[in-house]
Amino acid sequence: MTSVSRLPRPMTPPGIAPTENIKIDSKLSFGVVCSSNINRSMEAHVVLGNAGLRVESYGTGTQVRLPGRSAMEPRIFKFGTSYEEMYKSMSATPDDAAFFIRNGVLQLCRRGAAVKKAPQRWQDMDSYHISEHDVVIAFEERIFDAVVEDLQVREPTEDFLPLHVICLDTKDNPHEAAIQGRVALELCWLLEEQGEELILKAPEIVEAFQQERMTHTPIKVLYQLCYL
């Protein structure tokens, strides 16, 4: 059985980040969110992090659900179960290992283990931790709705800081996640450049970004300014 601990961090191209910016400290803090914190948000976590941006990733589901041998037999884990434990569970026999390599799930677990210990659930995070983010990107409309709803029911923090929540609607498969990870990086660099002007410029940037994207890659982009 192969251990997945202490894997090297996955490599990705630095995207459109200006060369001189890749090594500087990120001005903004980004949160990226999908359902199970293993595919779409982890792809974005790696891409943004490798480009020099400050980023954390989360899921909003009740459990971590991974594709199983059929649509009726998903592999289900609790949030907080380490990526290494999930990997070991799905490679317990040669037959299991071969199947979960073919469907790509073991590769997702290996990537997750190289970046952090375990999937984290957005709703379970402390409000002060969440409020440290400046921008949150959700990779599906229902996840965007869940994030906004969660922010609206939380007790405000003492600082009551703005949080820009954006939806980049993305199908839940590795191919689409890879494409949208680069799209997310492109948008995040535009936002990063604004610094303290973000509160004024974010809606305009998101709208212009959607218009530009719609000319060659149709994508639903939503925006909501929240406070926490």
Side-chain angles (χ1 to χ4, degrees):
M1 188 181 303
T2 304
S3 173
V4 295
S5 59
R6 293 189 171 85
L7 290 178
R9 187 179 184 86
M11 297 300 295
T12 66
I16 65 163
T19 303
E20 66 274 14
N21 284 351
I22 292 178
K23 299 299 183 183
I24 69 169
D25 291 334
S26 178
K27 301 184 190 75
L28 302 179
S29 172
F30 297 90
V32 288
V33 191
C34 67
S35 181
S36 293
N37 194 198
I38 196 163
N39 179 31
R40 294 166 291 182
S41 62
M42 283 305 301
E43 175 70 23
H45 190 151
V46 171
V47 172
L48 270 62
N50 285 356
L53 297 177
R54 192 154 41 105
V55 60
E56 297 290 342
S57 60
Y58 312 95
T60 60
T62 55
Q63 296 170 308
V64 176
R65 299 174 65 89
L66 303 175
R69 293 183 179 272
S70 74
M72 302 300 293
E73 299 176 298
R75 296 299 294 266
I76 298 175
F77 300 91
K78 293 180 179 179
F79 274 94
T81 303
S82 73
Y83 294 108
E84 182 172 6
E85 287 178 65
M86 290 189 280
Y87 184 100
K88 289 179 177 178
S89 172
M90 290 182 290
S91 59
T93 68
D95 184 54
D96 281 344
F99 175 82
F100 288 110
I101 287 173
R102 285 196 304 274
N103 78 354
V105 168
L106 285 187
Q107 293 91 316
L108 297 181
C109 292
R110 286 177 64 87
R111 177 182 65 187
V115 176
K116 64 180 189 177
K117 181 178 180 181
Q120 295 169 279
R121 188 168 184 261
W122 169 271
Q123 295 93 329
D124 295 339
M125 303 305 296
D126 179 84
S127 290
Y128 283 94
H129 177 87
I130 293 296
S131 70
E132 291 178 351
H133 292 307
D134 300 286
V135 177
V136 175
I137 296 182
F139 288 97
E140 193 174 329
E141 186 172 357
R142 68 181 177 86
I143 294 163
F144 171 85
D145 291 340
V147 168
V148 171
E149 180 180 348
D150 174 72
L151 290 171
Q152 290 173 340
V153 299
R154 286 178 181 261
E155 285 292 322
T157 63
E158 201 171 298
D159 294 329
F160 199 56
L161 298 170
L163 192 56
H164 304 269
V165 185
I166 300 166
C167 174
L168 298 179
D169 207 28
T170 305
K171 291 181 180 177
D172 193 5
N173 64 63
H175 174 71
E176 292 297 326
I179 294 172
Q180 296 299 77
R182 296 295 297 276
V183 172
L185 176 61
E186 185 179 338
L187 175 58
C188 288
W189 273 115
L190 293 173
L191 298 170
E192 171 76 12
E193 291 170 357
Q194 303 309 310
E196 294 181 0
E197 296 290 311
L198 184 64
I199 191 71
L200 300 174
K201 298 290 186 65
E204 176 185 329
I205 290 170
V206 172
E207 183 176 356
F209 183 81
Q210 181 178 25
Q211 293 302 316
E212 188 274 332
R213 275 281 148 193
M214 289 298 285
T215 62
H216 53 88
T217 308
I219 177 176
K220 178 181 283 188
V221 181
L222 303 173
Y223 172 80
Q224 178 72 50
L225 176 61
C226 298
Y227 284 83
L228 182 63

